[in-house]
Amino acid sequence: IAVGAHEGKKLPIPGADHPDVLVSTRFLRDVRLAELGTSNFKSQTSKDAPQESSLKFDVGSLKFDVGSLIFDKHVLVLGGGNVAMDCARTALRLGAKQVDMACLESRDTMPAHADEIAEAEEEGIVIYPARSFTRIINADGRISGVEAVNVSFMRFELDGSLTLETVPDSEHVLACDTVIFAIGQRAGLAFIPEDAGVGITRQRTVAVNPNTFSTSRPGVFAAGDATTGTSFVIEAVAAGHKAAANIQKYLRGESLESREHVDLPVVKMTPTAVSARIRRGEIELKPRVRMAALDGATRGRSFEEVNLGFTEEEARAEATRCLQCGVCSECLSCVYKCAAGAINHNQVARAEQIEVGAVILAAGFDLYDAQLAGEYGLGRFANVVTGQQYERILSPTGPYGGHLKRPSDGHEPKRI
């Protein structure tokens, strides 16, 4: 089971079931499907669109009426993360009259990336931080706002529960006529029957043995966000690799708990180590290079790419900010790239004592620099190679995959 955490959540407050209350993941999915299903989506979603009906799409079985949901509406996004930013900036591009955001966190502790927040504000999106929400106000079937209170303290505990303190008598209304919840995601586990024998935690994730990724039902394994809640992509990828290895053991009838835990070297640049490099002049503190972008007024009217990319000079400047740790970070790229499967990151240094009766010393020799023999043209003509280079050409892992080819043009030689 690796279904991720793609189901958006709503707060259990009065009015949350109103038809004009949307959920982040469903909203973004439907917009994207509509965009993929029409060739002129960008031009039609401009604020200068002549009429609301031009914003309607029919993509297969999907009926997505952008006009009635967003166009010319006052949208309020509840949430302060990157998904909430996506919702707010998407609503703006769909022709919303005004887009606001409100979240529990203070302005300085919002979980969204600083660049996302800055770009949203440049586009005219107003952010109301440190707010908690008590109800969605509606009359005669129409939403008129969200009742909120000011937050003086908030913290998520280790078990996922929220500790919240609000300011007395601070109730106020944030005006809007459409609400989008973007307060997080969870795994959609409704497909698992109650009698399936697969345990579900109080946080609505699949319960697994953290060492083997096995569930409470033999033969069923789970990994990724379905077991941990929303986390980093690389953690889900790693969990998938480990779960697959244990599934293989299960199918072979091997013990799942016999896996050896090897402490592999990884990069750990501590603040002390960084400070020492700065003192020695090995590291120079530089701010991140800001990538050029479309101006806020222009980009808010279309789905054109916001960031315009680095110039060569900017790219080089940004690349020089690397700490250059110079040790393996366990990204495993070399493992995936090696066609011969010759790299094993689980190997560690070990000492062996071998009983022998004699030792033969065959230490080899230093290669002669054949370029010193200028009359042969090594270094001047592409098709003049050394014996060692010739062996490399013939190697199955060499530049030509074991085929004999001329370095000059990649064609097979007629005579050597």
Side-chain angles (χ1 to χ4, degrees):
I1 301 174
V3 295
H6 303 291
E7 191 174 278
K9 296 189 291 186
K10 289 184 179 181
L11 289 174
I13 58 177
D17 57 349
H18 192 280
D20 288 339
V21 175
L22 310 178
V23 180
S24 58
T25 50
R26 178 69 181 268
F27 168 68
L28 293 174
R29 186 201 68 180
D30 287 353
V31 171
R32 182 56 177 157
L33 287 175
E35 182 183 359
L36 291 173
T38 180
S39 60
N40 57 353
F41 181 77
K42 293 178 180 178
S43 62
Q44 289 188 342
T45 55
S46 167
K47 283 188 176 180
D48 299 326
Q51 55 186 3
E52 182 178 319
S53 60
S54 66
L55 299 175
K56 296 182 180 179
F57 308 97
D58 184 354
V59 187
S61 61
L62 172 68
K63 304 289 186 180
F64 184 71
D65 187 349
V66 180
S68 63
L69 292 175
I70 299 298
F71 183 81
D72 205 31
K73 296 294 184 71
H74 185 170
V75 178
L76 176 63
V77 178
L78 303 183
N82 285 325
V83 174
M85 291 293 165
D86 286 346
C87 290
R89 299 177 72 181
T90 298
L92 186 70
R93 285 154 175 78
L94 292 176
K97 176 175 58 178
Q98 182 177 339
V99 179
D100 301 332
M101 297 183 63
C103 61
L104 281 173
E105 299 84 2
S106 66
R107 178 66 171 76
D108 296 334
T109 60
M110 288 177 62
H113 294 159
D115 288 346
E116 287 274 352
I117 299 173
E119 290 180 357
E121 290 180 325
E122 289 173 1
E123 294 171 7
I125 296 172
V126 179
I127 300 176
Y128 297 98
R131 302 296 205 281
S132 180
F133 317 107
T134 56
R135 66 188 177 106
I136 296 174
I137 304 171
N138 66 85
D140 300 326
R142 293 173 177 256
I143 293 177
S144 60
V146 174
E147 186 178 81
V149 292
N150 293 331
V151 174
S152 57
F153 175 81
M154 63 83 60
R155 180 179 64 202
F156 286 101
E157 307 298 343
L158 294 178
D159 62 355
S161 62
L162 173 64
T163 299
L164 186 68
E165 296 178 6
T166 59
V167 179
D169 302 322
S170 62
E171 292 83 359
H172 58 283
V173 175
L174 300 174
C176 64
D177 47 35
T178 299
V179 176
I180 302 177
F181 275 105
I183 58 172
Q185 294 110 248
R186 62 188 169 198
L189 303 179
F191 67 93
I192 302 178
E194 292 185 4
D195 59 352
V198 176
I200 307 297
T201 69
R202 190 174 63 179
Q203 288 76 32
R204 300 299 302 168
T205 58
V206 181
V208 295
N209 180 325
N211 294 326
T212 65
F213 297 90
S214 57
T215 69
S216 53
R217 176 168 180 165
V220 178
F221 294 75
D225 288 359
T227 65
T228 63
T230 52
S231 185
F232 296 103
V233 171
I234 192 62
E235 293 180 3
V237 172
H241 282 293
K242 295 173 183 177
N246 282 291
I247 290 171
Q248 188 174 34
K249 285 185 177 182
Y250 174 83
L251 295 175
R252 290 175 173 174
E254 301 173 4
S255 173
L256 301 183
E257 292 285 0
S258 63
R259 179 164 57 93
E260 295 182 3
H261 295 275
V262 180
D263 292 329
L264 298 171
V266 296
V267 173
K268 293 182 180 179
M269 287 290 289
T270 63
T272 303
V274 174
S275 298
R277 290 193 175 193
I278 294 175
R279 288 195 302 271
R280 294 194 298 266
E282 298 174 4
I283 295 178
E284 181 182 355
L285 292 179
K286 295 179 180 178
R288 176 174 291 180
V289 178
R290 182 72 184 270
M291 187 178 290
L294 294 173
D295 66 272
T298 301
R299 66 179 184 244
R301 294 195 298 268
S302 76
F303 283 82
E304 295 293 338
E305 179 64 46
V306 171
N307 297 312
L308 302 178
F310 284 136
T311 64
E312 180 177 347
E313 182 180 357
E314 290 171 338
R316 290 181 180 275
E318 180 66 7
T320 59
R321 298 176 62 251
C322 174
L323 290 178
Q324 297 179 351
C325 305
V327 294
C328 179
S329 299
E330 293 298 321
C331 69
L332 302 183
S333 294
C334 57
V335 176
Y336 306 142
K337 196 69 177 177
C338 181
I343 301 174
N344 181 4
H345 275 239
N346 291 324
Q347 286 185 333
V348 293
R350 63 181 184 180
E352 292 187 34
Q353 184 172 331
I354 304 173
E355 298 294 335
V356 298
V359 175
I360 299 175
L361 180 63
F365 54 89
D366 291 332
L367 291 176
Y368 170 68
D369 184 2
Q371 292 195 44
L372 297 177
E375 65 271 22
Y376 294 118
L378 181 67
R380 292 187 291 119
F381 303 116
N383 291 334
V384 177
V385 298
T386 66
Q388 187 181 45
Q389 291 171 334
Y390 185 59
E391 290 180 7
R392 181 63 179 157
I393 290 174
L394 297 178
S395 172
T397 60
Y400 307 121
H403 296 281
L404 182 57
K405 296 182 179 181
R406 290 192 298 251
S408 62
D409 56 12
H411 293 157
E412 292 186 2
K414 296 179 179 179
R415 184 179 180 187
I416 298 176

